[in-house]
Each structure stands twice: as structure tokens, then as C-alpha cells.
Amino acid sequence: DAGADGILLIASVLGPALPNFLDLATAIGLETIVECHTRNEVQAALDALAQNILVSNYDRIEQRYYPEQAYKLAGMFPGSGGPIICLAGGGLEDTEDMKRLLAVGYDGVVVGRACMGSTRAPEFIKAIRDRTLLPAEFSQWGLENVEFDMDGNVMDGTKRNVPNPDDANSFL
């Protein structure tokens, strides 16, 4: 009734009720994202046939960040691009964090700290939106400076108007 298109289901809160909530959301036409923090939560989301999973570095039970958690759980998903959309978030601070997560197979990232309260937030967002990112399968092949068109063909020249993530003055 409120006009929402989707809902965030937190696996650590719902526990064994997660499949029921996924089924109910699907039945009423809502998209879902299941937030997970542990291997067991990710497995429960996969077993419940969740189509969108957010692996958070933030543990809601212990109320603390585990900066490497998303990297540790990355191997649980099929390759980037589906059939399950896998996002990572929690404590990401710069585009290097984003690139590392995409390189291990995540389809996208959720950012907050990198943007909230930062005077450089517009610059950070522009870098993420403007950056032509490679599929995870090619991310370690040294193609970071190659520009691709929408059909995947190599374009002439180097990338343009993209802040250099190695420049300490580009991002906070």
C-alpha cells in the first residue's frame, strides 16, 4: 500500500523465517535483497532461492565491522552477472575498495561512508558512474586503461575524464 518496490530482508534477524518472507515478498510483487554477513546466512539465502544478495562487512549482531568479510564470502556465488545478483557493502571508503570487490565477483557495491558527510562525495560518485569496469573474469588482466564500447569492442585511445584512483588528491 505504501508504494514500495522492494524490501531488505536481514538474514540475521529473520533466521529460519527467511524463506517465508522471501515467498511472501514475491507473492505480493516486491523485489528483495537479502542482507547476509556469515557463510551460514549466505547459504540460507541461496537455499531459499534469493535472487539478490548483499554481503555486508557489518555484523548486526556484534555491532562491528569485519572489513574482509565480503572477500571471504565471494566464492559462494556464481560468476558476476547472474543468475544471482551479488552486492557487497559496509565500510567501503574509496574506489579501490569498490574495484577489489568487483574483481572478486560482486556485481555491485553499496556505499555510504564514502559519500556521507564527505565534501568529495560528488567526485567519488562520478568516478564510480563514469568508470568503465571490466567483468570480474578479466579484472586482473591488466586492461584497466582500455576503454570498451557498449558491444565490448576495444575503443581507440585511453579512458577520458576518469579520476585516477592512485592519485591521493582524487578521493578522501
Side-chain angles (χ1 to χ4, degrees):
D1 287 340
D5 292 322
I7 186 170
L8 177 68
L9 301 175
I10 302 171
S12 64
V13 172
L14 296 174
L18 177 63
N20 294 337
F21 277 84
L22 272 169
D23 290 345
L24 177 60
T26 301
I28 62 174
L30 289 175
E31 289 290 332
T32 59
I33 297 177
V34 178
E35 179 185 300
C36 303
H37 175 72
T38 67
R39 179 171 298 282
N40 288 340
E41 291 170 2
V42 170
Q43 190 59 56
L46 292 170
D47 290 346
L49 304 178
Q51 294 180 345
N52 302 296
I53 298 176
L54 165 64
V55 175
S56 177
N57 289 326
Y58 184 70
D59 184 340
R60 292 184 184 271
I61 303 297
E62 294 184 18
Q63 301 286 304
R64 62 183 279 216
Y65 282 99
Y66 292 87
E68 299 297 311
Q69 190 68 6
Y71 299 106
K72 292 177 183 176
L73 300 179
M76 295 186 72
F77 307 104
S80 65
I84 299 167
I85 303 300
C86 306
L87 306 172
L92 308 181
E93 296 185 5
D94 56 33
T95 56
E96 201 57 40
D97 289 340
M98 172 198 65
K99 289 192 303 185
R100 284 182 57 216
L101 287 164
L102 295 175
V104 296
Y106 286 98
D107 297 298
V109 296
V110 176
V111 295
R113 183 179 297 174
C115 296
M116 293 173 32
S118 171
T119 58
R120 312 284 304 267
E123 188 176 348
F124 179 82
I125 293 168
K126 182 177 180 356
I128 291 173
R129 292 184 73 193
D130 291 349
R131 178 95 177 152
T132 303
L133 297 168
L134 298 169
E137 292 81 10
F138 301 115
S139 64
Q140 305 300 316
W141 289 16
L143 300 172
E144 292 82 11
N145 293 318
V146 178
E147 188 78 51
F148 296 90
D149 65 19
M150 294 302 286
D151 296 320
N153 300 310
V154 175
M155 296 173 58
D156 292 333
T158 58
K159 293 184 179 186
R160 296 175 293 280
N161 300 322
V162 178
N164 183 346
D166 299 323
D167 180 359
N169 296 320
S170 291
F171 308 101
L172 292 177

